[in-house]
Amino acid sequence: MDRRQNLYGDIFEQLGGKPDSKDSQSTVSQKKTSSYTPSDMSPEDQRSLSKLFEVNRLLKKELDETKRELKVTKDKLAKAKR
């Protein structure tokens, strides 16, 4: 059993490469990509997926707005009950 454990060693130990550091600047751009399209998707599928994501964003905005309105209404009701 000890032999098997020694074969794998410490899985959390970093053996090579540059240690993670928040102060160091990476040569790779840290720019966040806003979209990802796999190469195996057809253009039609890509358009459909883009439309789906756009509608999803709009629905999230609408939901957030409705939640804010509900909170305001609940606050007004609570004040009226007092």
Side-chain angles (χ1 to χ4, degrees):
M1 198 60 125
D2 290 333
R3 181 175 177 263
R4 186 173 210 174
Q5 288 175 348
N6 289 336
L7 286 176
Y8 296 106
D10 186 7
I11 59 171
F12 299 109
E13 179 183 4
Q14 181 175 354
L15 298 176
K18 188 174 181 181
D20 293 334
S21 174
K22 302 272 187 235
D23 299 331
S24 65
Q25 293 290 331
S26 177
T27 57
V28 177
S29 174
Q30 298 296 327
K31 181 179 168 185
K32 183 178 178 182
T33 57
S34 60
S35 64
Y36 170 72
T37 52
S39 60
D40 62 343
M41 287 183 72
S42 70
E44 183 180 333
D45 289 342
Q46 290 177 5
R47 280 191 297 277
S48 298
L49 198 57
S50 293
K51 287 180 184 179
L52 175 70
F53 288 153
E54 182 179 354
V55 170
N56 191 27
R57 282 192 300 270
L58 291 173
L59 285 172
K60 282 183 181 181
K61 286 180 184 178
E62 187 177 330
L63 178 64
D64 290 341
E65 183 179 326
T66 306
K67 284 181 179 179
R68 281 192 298 271
E69 290 175 3
L70 178 63
K71 186 175 187 288
V72 168
T73 306
K74 282 184 176 180
D75 291 343
K76 286 181 181 178
L77 268 174
K79 287 181 183 177
K81 286 184 179 180
R82 290 183 196 172

